Amino acid sequence: MGIEERRKREKRQRRQAIMDAAKEVFFAKGLLAATMDEIAEKAEYSKGTLYLYFQSKEELYLSLLEEGNKIFDQIMREQLSQLRSAEELIRGIASVYYNFFIDYPDYFKIMFFLHHGDLQSKISPEFFDQCMCQAEDTLRVIEGIIQKGINEGTFREVDPWKMTLNLWATANGIFLLCSEKEHHAFMKGNNEKILLDHALDIYLEGLKKK
Amino acid sequence: MGIEERRKREKRQRRQAIMDAAKEVFFAKGLLAATMDEIAEKAEYSKGTLYLYFQSKEELYLSLLEEGNKIFDQIMREQLSQLRSAEELIRGIASVYYNFFIDYPDYFKIMFFLHHGDLQSKISPEFFDQCMCQAEDTLRVIEGIIQKGINEGTFREVDPWKMTLNLWATANGIFLLCSEKEHHAFMKGNNEKILLDHALDIYLEGLKKK
Amino acid sequence: MGIEERRKREKRQRRQAIMDAAKEVFFAKGLLAATMDEIAEKAEYSKGTLYLYFQSKEELYLSLLEEGNKIFDQIMREQLSQLRSAEELIRGIASVYYNFFIDYPDYFKIMFFLHHGDLQSKISPEFFDQCMCQAEDTLRVIEGIIQKGINEGTFREVDPWKMTLNLWATANGIFLLCSEKEHHAFMKGNNEKILLDHALDIYLEGLKKK
Amino acid sequence: MGIEERRKREKRQRRQAIMDAAKEVFFAKGLLAATMDEIAEKAEYSKGTLYLYFQSKEELYLSLLEEGNKIFDQIMREQLSQLRSAEELIRGIASVYYNFFIDYPDYFKIMFFLHHGDLQSKISPEFFDQCMCQAEDTLRVIEGIIQKGINEGTFREVDPWKMTLNLWATANGIFLLCSEKEHHAFMKGNNEKILLDHALDIYLEGLKKK
DNA sequence: TATGAATGAGTATTCATTCAT
DNA sequence: TATGAATGAATACTCATTCAT
């Protein structure tokens, strides 16, 4: 009885171990430059074993994406239950996004650079769409919050969807900037948190009704 | 004398022809997936010839980056000569950046994705630094403009450097968003220009002294 | 006792089940392209189990050959008991060979293509000899029949062994031709049976004493 | 002037050298078991070089087939110019086929076992058809000779096409038999030539009008 | 200077075989 | 006895780089 369960659990664990190794390698090198050899070595399994769990390099890569999406989805949902004022909600969602970026930088970057390299040609359009839709669902929540702010008279009458895209683009731009340039002198004293908060300060000031 | 000159000019032209071919291929396929064979074919030179002008695939790639930096630098300088109000300057620089993105999408993306995966390990730190410094020079100009706005009493007393980074990150985030998601339903009716203008509207509204 | 017997019987049955699966796969794909995975799946046993019954892929393949030889031997023997005229016997044996080809195409082709490429290097010479000897025994029967025809004055004084080899080669040539070319226009209206009968007509006409 | 020519000639020679090495390996091991590594080693070129001349293992294999077809075609044509009696022509063509088998055993076997392995799936149907048609053209010549013999009153009124297929199948069966069994005791004193002549003796005796 | 021919290390993937349970 | 998990050697094919001409 327990034997079957144990096997399944162990199988899941091995699968996860491979994914963990893959995450490191894919993030460090990118999809194309990463090699199954290196992943296998890092996972401490033979290359053949990798193919028992994933049909191809691409499938392995995509499995990480899926995992990232799921994790973000869950975190999001937990936070959304605590509704407050529009401004607080905006800052709250930014905070969730920031935390995800900090806690799961690998996932974030894999998700973010999905487009890069030759994955696109090997990704099934269905899967790609699925990712987009998941993302849009989340963004629509933000749009709703801005609309709420407008309705309540807190915010000026801006286009809530444009504003949503601006917020998202800004957060991504900041994270990207910090990832790339974090070691550079001109970033001194600034990090994702500080810059994101600063951007929100200005944005919210610009949004508020006077 | 004239002979010497002609030779140099021809040499420069051949080098440029190779870079032009490389640009197309690198942009279409990315650094790793692009092959010297394909670049050679497109340039209508033999593969061997490529190595007379560039020591390696990576050097060829980097030469494009350098070129992009130079072009942007020049455009920037031309615009900076026409100084006006702080707000106009901010919008002006955004416009320059936007035009560069539109006119030279290849350069922009090569510059922008420099960090991602492939190249990182092969780039010489010196070269990386050089790029950073060039970028910082430009950003310091923006900082100066914001400072000017504050001094003149147009803008609130924000941290001009943080604001600069925010603006840059936002523009990049928007361009990236539009590149990746341009074909998706939720981007309908929005493009780089519209979103960038919208972001500036809100930012500038938030920046202005009341 | 009964237990022991049942076990042996079951063991034999499992062995046979594996061989049946192997037959399908080997015939469909050939020795090299067939995989133990596929055979295991078709046999509904694990790959490991296959190795309990057969030491290697090649041994499994050869076991089929042996089986084919045995079956042919048995059919042959049954027919040989009904001796009649030399011509009838020749046609009878051709008919047996034809029926074997039709009823057991898998065995036939495995036997027939034993020599080709793949297996040669891995077959033990002893096993190969064993097959040859089995074949020779059968051919000697045919030789005997021709000799009988000569002795009885039915056939001309030909070399009975050469004639035997001719008959065998002709039958094999026809079967091979039909296997390979059966779908081609120029085979229209002809098949193994028709061509074999036609060849026998001419051969027997040429053999008969005038 | 001569430089270009020399290059072409050398290129052809290198191509031929690779084909010669491939012939040996393919014949010894079969399509599937042969490796590009081994062919490269035998040809004394690097594996990469092979791919400069042939796009794939299969293309290399097929190039041999094509070569074989051409050679046989040419030999055939030369012999056909010397028309004589029907019986002589039959024996003449048999002789040509025999000589081809002796002189080009590699080609013969590659052509003959075209069907084997997984080539069929990778061969373009056009190419396959082309081979068939070439073969049919030759066979139609034999058919014509038999018809001629019938018309002249030399041969009995048999189906000339069936007879043609019989002759072809018999020759192939004999060559196959001799290839496989040449080292075996029961083949002693017999070879392709002897058996083919013997088969023709009987066939022609059976064909002749009495 | 320009070329095209050659190279060989590198990559994803497969599969017969082994072995602990 | 039966399994399924793991292995690693093998294989076709690629491509940046070199070099003789």
Side-chain angles (χ1 to χ4, degrees):
Chain A
M1 335 120 224
I3 289 177
E4 194 59 22
E5 272 178 41
R6 197 204 60 219
R7 279 201 179 147
K8 276 193 181 171
R9 193 180 59 243
E10 284 174 358
K11 196 160 187 170
R12 239 180 301 129
Q13 286 170 348
R14 278 188 293 263
R15 201 184 137 95
Q16 192 60 50
I18 292 170
M19 284 175 69
D20 289 343
K23 223 183 310 174
E24 281 188 61
V25 178
F26 277 135
F27 178 57
K29 309 237 171 151
L31 172 61
L32 277 182
T35 69
M36 292 300 263
D37 280 87
E38 194 177 352
I39 295 170
E41 199 182 2
K42 192 147 271 170
E44 295 181 320
Y45 282 101
S46 80
K47 216 175 356 170
T49 304
L50 265 57
Y51 285 88
L52 290 179
Y53 292 87
F54 301 92
Q55 287 199 353
S56 70
K57 190 183 173 183
E58 278 75 26
E59 204 202 285
L60 177 49
Y61 189 82
L62 289 182
S63 74
L64 297 176
L65 205 63
E66 219 176 354
E67 190 182 42
N69 276 336
K70 275 186 193 151
I71 291 174
F72 184 65
D73 223 54
Q74 193 186 347
I75 296 175
M76 205 62 203
R77 240 183 276 275
E78 286 164 14
Q79 296 286 334
L80 287 188
S81 58
Q82 313 161 18
L83 298 170
R84 285 161 301 174
S85 79
E87 179 169 345
E88 275 172 339
L89 276 163
I90 295 290
R91 290 195 184 268
I93 284 185
S95 173
V96 169
Y97 201 48
Y98 168 74
N99 285 327
F100 181 71
F101 171 74
I102 292 300
D103 295 341
Y104 305 93
D106 297 4
Y107 291 122
F108 182 88
K109 290 175 193 189
I110 284 176
M111 290 164 71
F112 200 62
F113 293 108
L114 179 59
H115 74 289
H116 199 69
D118 283 317
L119 193 58
Q120 231 152 356
S121 61
K122 291 174 181 174
I123 272 183
S124 80
E126 291 76 27
F127 188 85
F128 203 84
D129 267 359
Q130 187 191 317
C131 292
M132 288 297 125
C133 291
Q134 257 183 323
E136 184 175 355
D137 285 350
T138 309
L139 293 174
R140 290 295 172 194
V141 174
I142 303 176
E143 186 192 23
I145 292 165
I146 294 165
Q147 187 62 59
K148 182 170 171 277
I150 295 168
N151 294 345
E152 287 172 349
T154 318
F155 292 161
R156 290 192 296 121
E157 298 231 344
V158 297
D159 180 327
W161 185 239
K162 280 186 178 43
M163 194 63 230
T164 299
L165 293 176
N166 277 158
L167 286 167
W168 192 33
T170 299
N172 288 334
I174 288 171
F175 294 159
L176 192 60
L177 173 65
C178 293
S179 306
E180 283 180 68
K181 314 293 187 328
E182 60 177 333
H183 299 308
H184 268 270
F186 70 70
M187 289 301 290
K188 206 173 174 178
N190 288 300
N191 60 27
E192 297 87 353
K193 184 79 185 143
I194 292 172
L195 288 177
L196 189 54
D197 281 345
H198 188 268
L200 283 177
D201 287 343
I202 312 294
Y203 268 140
L204 288 169
E205 189 60 35
L207 268 176
K208 271 184 209 148
K209 210 161 195 165
K210 273 132 216 182
Chain B
M1 334 110 229
I3 291 177
E4 192 61 24
E5 271 177 43
R6 197 203 62 221
R7 277 197 184 149
K8 275 193 180 172
R9 192 179 60 243
E10 282 174 358
K11 193 161 185 171
R12 238 179 302 126
Q13 284 169 349
R14 280 189 291 266
R15 201 184 138 95
Q16 192 58 48
I18 293 171
M19 284 174 69
D20 289 341
K23 221 185 310 172
E24 281 188 63
V25 178
F26 279 135
F27 179 56
K29 309 232 169 152
L31 172 61
L32 271 186
T35 70
M36 291 300 264
D37 279 271
E38 198 178 350
I39 294 170
E41 199 181 4
K42 191 149 272 169
E44 296 181 319
Y45 282 100
S46 80
K47 224 181 345 174
T49 304
L50 266 55
Y51 283 87
L52 291 178
Y53 290 87
F54 301 92
Q55 288 199 353
S56 71
K57 191 184 174 184
E58 278 75 25
E59 202 204 287
L60 176 50
Y61 189 84
L62 290 182
S63 75
L64 296 177
L65 203 62
E66 221 175 352
E67 188 182 44
N69 278 334
K70 274 185 192 151
I71 291 174
F72 184 65
D73 224 53
Q74 191 185 348
I75 296 175
M76 205 62 203
R77 242 182 275 276
E78 287 164 13
Q79 295 286 333
L80 288 187
S81 58
Q82 312 162 17
L83 296 170
R84 284 162 300 175
S85 78
E87 178 167 347
E88 275 171 340
L89 277 163
I90 295 290
R91 289 196 187 267
I93 285 185
S95 176
V96 169
Y97 201 48
Y98 168 75
N99 284 329
F100 182 71
F101 171 73
I102 293 299
D103 295 342
Y104 305 93
D106 298 6
Y107 291 121
F108 185 88
K109 290 181 190 187
I110 284 177
M111 291 164 71
F112 199 62
F113 293 112
L114 177 62
H115 78 288
H116 191 65
D118 315 338
L119 202 54
Q120 226 157 4
S121 58
K122 294 174 181 172
I123 268 183
S124 80
E126 290 76 28
F127 187 86
F128 204 83
D129 266 1
Q130 184 190 319
C131 292
M132 286 299 123
C133 291
Q134 258 183 321
E136 185 175 353
D137 285 350
T138 309
L139 293 175
R140 288 298 172 192
V141 173
I142 303 176
E143 187 192 22
I145 293 166
I146 294 166
Q147 187 61 58
K148 180 168 172 279
I150 295 169
N151 294 345
E152 289 172 348
T154 319
F155 293 162
R156 291 193 296 122
E157 296 229 346
V158 298
D159 180 324
W161 185 238
K162 280 186 178 41
M163 195 60 230
T164 300
L165 294 175
N166 276 158
L167 286 168
W168 192 34
T170 299
N172 288 334
I174 286 170
F175 294 159
L176 190 59
L177 173 63
C178 293
S179 306
E180 282 182 68
K181 313 294 188 326
E182 62 177 332
H183 299 306
H184 267 271
F186 69 72
M187 288 303 290
K188 207 174 174 177
N190 288 299
N191 60 29
E192 295 87 352
K193 183 79 185 142
I194 293 174
L195 288 176
L196 188 55
D197 281 344
H198 188 269
L200 284 177
D201 286 344
I202 311 294
Y203 267 140
L204 288 169
E205 189 62 36
L207 268 177
K208 272 183 209 149
K209 208 160 197 166
K210 275 131 215 181
Chain C
M1 331 107 230
I3 290 176
E4 193 60 24
E5 271 178 42
R6 198 204 61 223
R7 278 196 183 152
K8 276 194 180 172
R9 193 179 60 243
E10 283 174 358
K11 194 161 186 171
R12 238 179 302 128
Q13 286 170 348
R14 280 189 291 264
R15 201 184 138 95
Q16 191 59 48
I18 293 170
M19 284 174 69
D20 288 342
K23 219 183 313 172
E24 282 188 61
V25 178
F26 278 135
F27 178 57
K29 309 233 170 153
L31 172 61
L32 270 187
T35 70
M36 292 299 264
D37 279 86
E38 197 177 351
I39 294 171
E41 198 181 3
K42 192 148 271 171
E44 294 180 323
Y45 283 99
S46 80
K47 223 181 347 175
T49 304
L50 264 57
Y51 284 87
L52 291 179
Y53 291 88
F54 301 92
Q55 287 199 355
S56 72
K57 192 186 176 183
E58 277 74 27
E59 203 203 286
L60 177 50
Y61 188 83
L62 290 182
S63 74
L64 297 176
L65 203 63
E66 221 175 354
E67 189 182 41
N69 278 335
K70 275 185 191 151
I71 290 174
F72 184 65
D73 224 54
Q74 192 185 348
I75 297 176
M76 207 61 202
R77 242 182 276 274
E78 286 165 13
Q79 295 285 334
L80 288 188
S81 58
Q82 311 160 19
L83 298 171
R84 284 160 301 172
S85 79
E87 178 168 348
E88 276 172 340
L89 276 163
I90 295 291
R91 289 196 185 268
I93 284 184
S95 175
V96 169
Y97 200 49
Y98 169 74
N99 285 327
F100 182 71
F101 171 73
I102 292 299
D103 295 342
Y104 304 93
D106 298 6
Y107 290 123
F108 185 87
K109 290 180 190 187
I110 284 176
M111 291 164 70
F112 199 62
F113 294 111
L114 177 61
H115 76 290
H116 191 64
D118 315 337
L119 202 53
Q120 227 158 4
S121 58
K122 293 175 182 172
I123 269 183
S124 80
E126 291 76 29
F127 187 86
F128 203 84
D129 266 0
Q130 186 191 319
C131 292
M132 287 299 124
C133 291
Q134 258 183 321
E136 185 174 354
D137 285 351
T138 308
L139 293 175
R140 289 295 173 195
V141 174
I142 302 176
E143 186 192 23
I145 292 166
I146 293 166
Q147 187 62 59
K148 182 170 170 277
I150 294 169
N151 293 344
E152 288 171 349
T154 318
F155 293 161
R156 291 192 296 121
E157 296 232 345
V158 298
D159 180 325
W161 185 238
K162 280 186 178 44
M163 194 63 230
T164 300
L165 294 175
N166 277 158
L167 286 168
W168 192 35
T170 299
N172 288 335
I174 287 170
F175 294 160
L176 190 59
L177 173 63
C178 293
S179 305
E180 282 181 69
K181 312 295 188 327
E182 61 178 332
H183 299 307
H184 267 270
F186 68 72
M187 289 302 289
K188 207 175 176 178
N190 289 300
N191 60 28
E192 296 87 351
K193 184 78 185 145
I194 292 173
L195 288 177
L196 189 54
D197 282 345
H198 188 267
L200 285 177
D201 287 344
I202 311 295
Y203 268 140
L204 288 169
E205 189 60 36
L207 268 176
K208 270 184 211 149
K209 208 159 198 167
K210 274 131 214 182
Chain D
M1 336 123 221
I3 291 178
E4 193 60 23
E5 271 177 44
R6 197 203 62 220
R7 278 201 181 147
K8 276 193 181 172
R9 192 180 60 243
E10 284 173 358
K11 197 161 187 170
R12 238 180 300 128
Q13 286 170 348
R14 280 188 292 264
R15 201 184 138 97
Q16 192 59 49
I18 293 170
M19 285 175 69
D20 289 342
K23 223 183 310 173
E24 282 188 61
V25 177
F26 278 135
F27 177 58
K29 309 238 169 148
L31 172 63
L32 278 181
T35 70
M36 290 300 263
D37 281 87
E38 196 177 350
I39 294 170
E41 199 180 1
K42 191 147 273 170
E44 295 182 320
Y45 282 102
S46 79
K47 215 177 357 172
T49 303
L50 266 56
Y51 284 89
L52 289 180
Y53 292 86
F54 300 93
Q55 288 198 352
S56 70
K57 190 184 173 183
E58 279 76 26
E59 203 202 284
L60 177 49
Y61 189 82
L62 290 182
S63 74
L64 297 177
L65 205 62
E66 220 176 354
E67 190 182 41
N69 277 335
K70 274 184 192 154
I71 291 175
F72 184 65
D73 224 53
Q74 194 186 346
I75 297 176
M76 205 62 203
R77 242 183 273 275
E78 287 164 12
Q79 296 286 333
L80 287 187
S81 56
Q82 313 161 17
L83 298 169
R84 284 159 304 173
S85 78
E87 179 168 345
E88 275 170 341
L89 278 162
I90 295 291
R91 289 197 186 268
I93 285 185
S95 175
V96 169
Y97 201 47
Y98 168 73
N99 285 327
F100 182 70
F101 172 74
I102 292 300
D103 295 341
Y104 305 93
D106 297 6
Y107 291 123
F108 183 88
K109 290 177 192 188
I110 284 176
M111 291 164 70
F112 200 61
F113 292 109
L114 179 61
H115 75 287
H116 199 70
D118 282 317
L119 192 58
Q120 233 153 356
S121 61
K122 292 175 183 173
I123 272 182
S124 80
E126 291 76 28
F127 187 84
F128 204 84
D129 266 0
Q130 186 191 318
C131 291
M132 287 297 126
C133 290
Q134 256 182 325
E136 185 175 353
D137 284 350
T138 308
L139 293 175
R140 290 296 173 192
V141 173
I142 304 176
E143 186 192 22
I145 293 167
I146 294 166
Q147 187 62 59
K148 180 169 172 277
I150 295 169
N151 294 344
E152 290 171 347
T154 319
F155 293 162
R156 292 191 296 122
E157 297 229 344
V158 298
D159 180 325
W161 185 240
K162 278 186 178 45
M163 194 61 230
T164 300
L165 294 175
N166 276 159
L167 285 167
W168 192 35
T170 299
N172 289 334
I174 286 169
F175 295 159
L176 192 60
L177 174 64
C178 294
S179 308
E180 283 181 69
K181 313 294 188 326
E182 59 178 334
H183 300 307
H184 268 271
F186 69 72
M187 288 301 291
K188 205 172 174 179
N190 288 300
N191 60 27
E192 296 88 351
K193 184 76 183 145
I194 293 173
L195 287 177
L196 188 53
D197 282 343
H198 188 267
L200 284 177
D201 287 344
I202 311 294
Y203 268 139
L204 288 169
E205 188 61 35
L207 269 176
K208 272 184 210 148
K209 209 160 197 169
K210 274 128 215 182

